[in-house]
Amino acid sequence: MIKGKLDEIVSEVKEYAPNLNNRADFDVYKSTISGPKGKLTEIMKLMGSVPKEEKPEMGKAINLAKQSIQDTFSKVIKSIEENELLGQLGSSIDPTLPSPELEKGHLHPISQVRDTIVGLFSRIGFAVAEGTELETEYYCFDALNIPADHPARDMQDSYFMPKTSSVSNVAKKSDERYLLRTHTSSVQIRTLLEEKPPIRIVAPGRCFRRDTPDATHSANFHQIEGLYVDRKVTLTDLKATLDHFVREIFGVSAKTRLRPSFFPFTEPSFEMDFYSPDLGKLSNQWIEIMGCGMVDPKVFESVGLDSDIYSGFAFGIGIERIAMILQGVDDIRNYYQNDIRFLRQFPDSIA
Ligand code: PHE
């Protein structure tokens, strides 16, 4: 008797359920079968009165019926859902049409210029080195011969962390402070402590200085540090390397000049200027593009290298500076505002 009823329910569901075409009707019908007072539920309640020896067979029959009903319900709800989706999409959908053209993103203009510069130096034998953006005073200042009273060490000029902070992957001496690196020159020290000469590296990365933003200043910006240390490295090597860089970047007829300057970690120190007739409007106007010089013997001393044996040169290029010239951008703040109308003007040639 139970079996007969089960068969009845199963065939009823098979016949009736596929006609349901919306979720509300489906839910109502489903509850008449498997809801608390549903037909199937009522039958299951009868199991208690079934003689013991018939129970296994009854159990099996109920399970089969349940499975069959469940399969039918799943098919029906799937087709209802598909119809709902079609309703949302409109009737004119043609699934055979190709998908709309995907718009490819591209590298940020600053990243593009960084990659160009790094690529240029890697072709002449410079490897890429990395440091950390959070630095200790030792790497950022002390080891670079920057004295305690230097303005960059003033609380007002750099971003210092509270004295109590500690960062697991940047070891500090007990009495020094962490700060956001003010230049990539800290990577010089990290590299010199880890590797033996000959060393030829470029270290691109983000730097931070407390500054009021204007068209040419930003509190965060990017540099590429260069360092070459070996026996008998001379000023001629520095000049030739940087001349090569300038001509590759700004055009073959670009001219350079070194102006005496001062950095605590290079001696002698220079600012390098260039002008390039190839740049049209900018021709005949000297533009300062980087600081550079020969590694100061005090730096060798702080990393345990003998300055009678080794010599070297270092330079620090401001990426934004170069990018602004190459890309004709007159306000540095454009680079950080994430305005898609600005970024789209610099499609990546490699992407
Ligand atoms: N670190 C210097 C700066 O940020 C630039 C520099 C790097 C100068 C290497 C000389 C040598 O201004």
Side-chain angles (χ1 to χ4, degrees):
M1 176 249 218
I2 291 189
K3 252 188 153 178
K5 281 203 169 150
L6 280 172
D7 290 345
E8 238 172 67
I9 300 173
V10 168
S11 44
E12 184 211 300
V13 168
K14 272 197 184 138
E15 208 182 299
Y16 190 82
N19 301 322
L20 298 164
N21 55 15
N22 69 69
R23 210 177 270 266
D25 289 353
F26 173 80
D27 288 341
V28 170
Y29 180 68
K30 193 177 165 194
S31 72
T32 68
I33 304 295
S34 53
K37 293 218 166 94
K39 292 180 185 168
L40 187 64
T41 322
E42 294 299 335
I43 291 197
M44 282 159 70
K45 286 180 193 158
L46 297 178
M47 267 297 267
S49 57
V50 170
K52 216 176 163 194
E53 58 280 10
E54 286 175 28
K55 271 196 175 156
E57 207 188 324
M58 277 305 138
K60 205 171 156 200
I62 288 185
N63 280 337
L64 282 174
K66 261 165 75 179
Q67 190 57 52
S68 159
I69 290 170
Q70 186 52 50
D71 288 350
T72 309
F73 281 162
S74 300
K75 276 187 209 138
V76 171
I77 194 68
K78 197 167 168 236
S79 111
I80 290 176
E81 277 169 358
E82 276 167 12
N83 278 329
E84 279 176 354
L85 190 65
L86 272 181
Q88 280 165 17
L89 292 172
S91 55
S92 62
I93 184 161
D94 179 354
T96 64
L97 285 175
S99 48
E101 189 81 21
L102 279 183
E103 214 182 320
K104 251 202 231 163
H106 61 75
L107 287 181
H108 189 276
I110 293 293
S111 306
Q112 293 179 35
V113 173
R114 175 202 62 202
D115 290 357
T116 304
I117 299 173
V118 168
L120 188 162
F121 279 105
S122 43
R123 284 193 290 283
I124 55 170
F126 285 74
V128 176
E130 273 182 298
T132 51
E133 290 176 0
L134 186 83
E135 262 303 357
T136 68
E137 288 185 282
Y138 171 76
Y139 290 110
C140 205
F141 300 134
D142 297 289
L144 287 161
N145 191 36
I146 299 175
D149 61 357
H150 191 279
R153 305 187 67 151
D154 194 292
M155 287 298 283
Q156 301 313 310
D157 283 307
S158 303
Y159 294 101
F160 284 95
M161 302 296 122
K163 254 207 146 143
T164 47
S165 53
S166 89
V167 177
S168 60
N169 61 343
V170 186
K172 71 166 181 176
K173 301 185 180 71
S174 59
D175 56 339
E176 59 174 345
R177 291 172 294 178
Y178 285 117
L179 75 158
L180 296 179
R181 68 177 171 196
T182 57
H183 53 182
T184 43
S185 299
S186 51
V187 188
Q188 287 189 36
I189 304 303
R190 289 181 170 272
T191 309
L192 286 166
L193 286 173
E194 266 169 32
E195 290 170 30
K196 291 208 169 352
I199 288 171
R200 251 190 251 110
I201 55 120
V202 279
R206 193 186 290 249
C207 307
F208 308 82
R209 289 181 197 174
R210 279 175 80 152
D211 242 332
T212 309
D214 63 23
T216 53
H217 293 86
S218 161
N220 94 50
F221 56 98
H222 300 78
Q223 289 189 332
I224 295 186
E225 193 77 10
L227 176 70
Y228 180 19
V229 174
D230 201 352
R231 293 162 199 260
K232 300 195 177 120
V233 177
T234 67
L235 191 50
T236 313
D237 298 315
L238 169 65
K239 179 81 163 56
T241 306
L242 295 182
D243 280 0
H244 170 73
F245 159 72
V246 166
R247 289 198 195 108
E248 288 280 305
I249 289 279
F250 296 118
V252 277
S253 38
K255 301 263 176 297
T256 62
R257 76 178 178 198
L258 292 174
R259 266 182 304 110
S261 182
F262 174 78
F263 298 101
F265 38 92
T266 46
E267 180 57 35
S269 303
F270 307 94
E271 299 286 349
M272 183 169 219
D273 305 338
F274 85 99
Y275 87 85
S276 171
D278 298 342
L279 288 178
K281 263 202 320 228
L282 285 167
S283 80
N284 273 332
Q285 186 194 335
W286 288 101
I287 302 175
E288 183 186 313
I289 39 163
M290 72 175 99
C292 59
M294 301 305 291
V295 178
D296 195 297
K298 288 242 174 69
V299 173
F300 284 132
E301 206 177 290
S302 60
V303 296
L305 278 182
D306 187 342
S307 56
D308 287 336
I309 300 176
Y310 294 109
S311 56
F313 66 71
F315 55 87
I317 302 171
I319 303 184
E320 279 80 351
R321 193 85 203 252
I322 309 275
M324 287 171 81
I325 297 169
L326 291 177
Q327 296 165 343
V329 171
D330 59 7
D331 192 323
I332 197 171
R333 288 168 292 193
N334 283 313
Y335 288 118
Y336 314 112
Q337 283 160 349
N338 252 355
D339 186 331
I340 198 87
R341 292 166 303 179
F342 172 77
L343 298 172
R344 276 208 179 116
Q345 292 175 49
F346 308 98
D348 190 344
S349 48
I350 348 168

